[in-house]
Amino acid sequence: MSVTDDAIAKIKAMIVSGDLKPGSRLPREADLAAELGVSRNSLREAVRALSLVQILDVRQGDGTYVASLEPNSLLDAMSFLLDFHQDDSVLDILGVRRILEPAATALAAQQMTDEQIAHLHTLVEPPQSGAITDLVALDLSFHAAIAAASGNKVLASLLDSLSMPTTRARIWRGVTEEGAFERTVAEHRGICDAIAAHDPELAHARALAHVGGVMEWLRKAAG
């Protein structure tokens, strides 16, 4: 378990035990980090992750509060966490993507026009906001553009249907794995360069490694 995952687990335990009640404000960052025995940076990442799944509510200039935890909100948050710890469906979906996406990328390397490649380059650079959610949005657009450029509408449609169910996994990786943001950008650049060089074998290999890396992380995160 990563240090950030450890901090997440400890905050969740405080909520379950009643030490932190719905609507209550979290202690000062320094105090809570000391109480949990984690660094302030790890605590910050844990808070960010839990706010994404609506367990915590970060209010700029006011503080961080435990969400209301009304049934609908809580069930959505819990189902999100179950995706990683009790359900292999996301991993199965990635397994299918690992078969199909390298093939689509190889086809795109053979068929992409200069105009399409120029557009793909705009989807490779990290968002100015630096937000994980914005990076994931670019990630989805990047892979969709490659699939569409494969020239096979059925393949593109299949990959599109497999993309959205893994969005939460991508966000979770971004907030819990150190360097995931930079690694994703670097891998996308490598895939883009292979396509621009019209090298289908290299494009296939880099796409395979890219999806395989996400699968390896998810296996560890769900373990």
Side-chain angles (χ1 to χ4, degrees):
M1 179 182 289
S2 71
V3 176
T4 301
D5 281 336
D6 184 44
I8 290 169
K10 288 179 178 178
I11 293 173
K12 284 166 57 185
M14 291 180 72
I15 295 172
V16 171
S17 68
D19 291 338
L20 287 173
K21 293 179 170 55
S24 64
R25 181 176 179 176
L26 266 63
R28 289 175 56 250
E29 184 180 86
D31 295 338
L32 184 57
E35 182 179 348
L36 298 178
V38 299
S39 70
R40 293 178 66 173
N41 186 58
S42 294
L43 175 61
R44 205 170 294 128
E45 292 300 319
V47 167
R48 185 158 58 135
L50 290 172
S51 69
L52 281 170
V53 293
Q54 302 174 8
I55 291 177
L56 296 180
D57 179 18
V58 179
R59 304 174 190 174
Q60 295 299 326
D62 186 14
T64 300
Y65 293 78
V66 178
S68 64
L69 300 185
E70 294 177 353
N72 288 342
S73 174
L74 182 59
L75 284 173
D76 183 60
M78 289 301 102
S79 67
F80 171 65
L81 296 172
L82 285 172
D83 282 347
F84 298 95
H85 299 292
Q86 295 182 12
D87 188 356
D88 291 333
S89 63
V90 175
L91 197 56
D92 287 342
I93 290 170
L94 283 169
V96 177
R97 277 191 58 203
R98 190 181 182 187
I99 296 169
L100 299 180
E101 194 150 334
T105 307
L107 287 170
Q110 294 173 302
Q111 303 189 60
M112 258 193 167
T113 65
D114 290 343
E115 184 179 355
Q116 288 175 317
I117 291 171
H119 174 62
L120 194 65
H121 275 294
T122 67
L123 303 176
V124 166
E125 296 308 312
Q128 293 184 348
S129 66
I132 293 297
T133 49
D134 290 340
L135 176 65
V136 170
L138 280 176
D139 182 37
L140 292 171
S141 297
F142 176 79
H143 290 286
I146 292 173
S150 71
N152 187 314
K153 293 181 179 179
V154 175
L155 179 57
S157 179
L158 281 171
L159 284 170
D160 182 59
S161 68
L162 294 170
S163 184
M164 291 307 295
T166 63
T167 299
R168 283 176 160 181
R170 299 180 201 195
I171 294 174
W172 192 254
R173 185 189 189 196
V175 297
T176 60
E177 183 185 35
E178 184 177 355
F181 188 108
E182 295 79 7
R183 188 178 301 109
T184 296
V185 171
E187 290 176 359
H188 281 187
R189 283 175 177 158
I191 292 169
C192 191
D193 289 344
I195 291 173
H198 297 293
D199 188 332
E201 291 186 4
L202 182 59
H204 185 285
R206 288 181 174 173
L208 182 63
H210 179 57
V211 180
V214 179
M215 291 183 69
E216 181 181 359
W217 163 79
L218 187 56
R219 285 194 188 97
K220 293 177 180 178

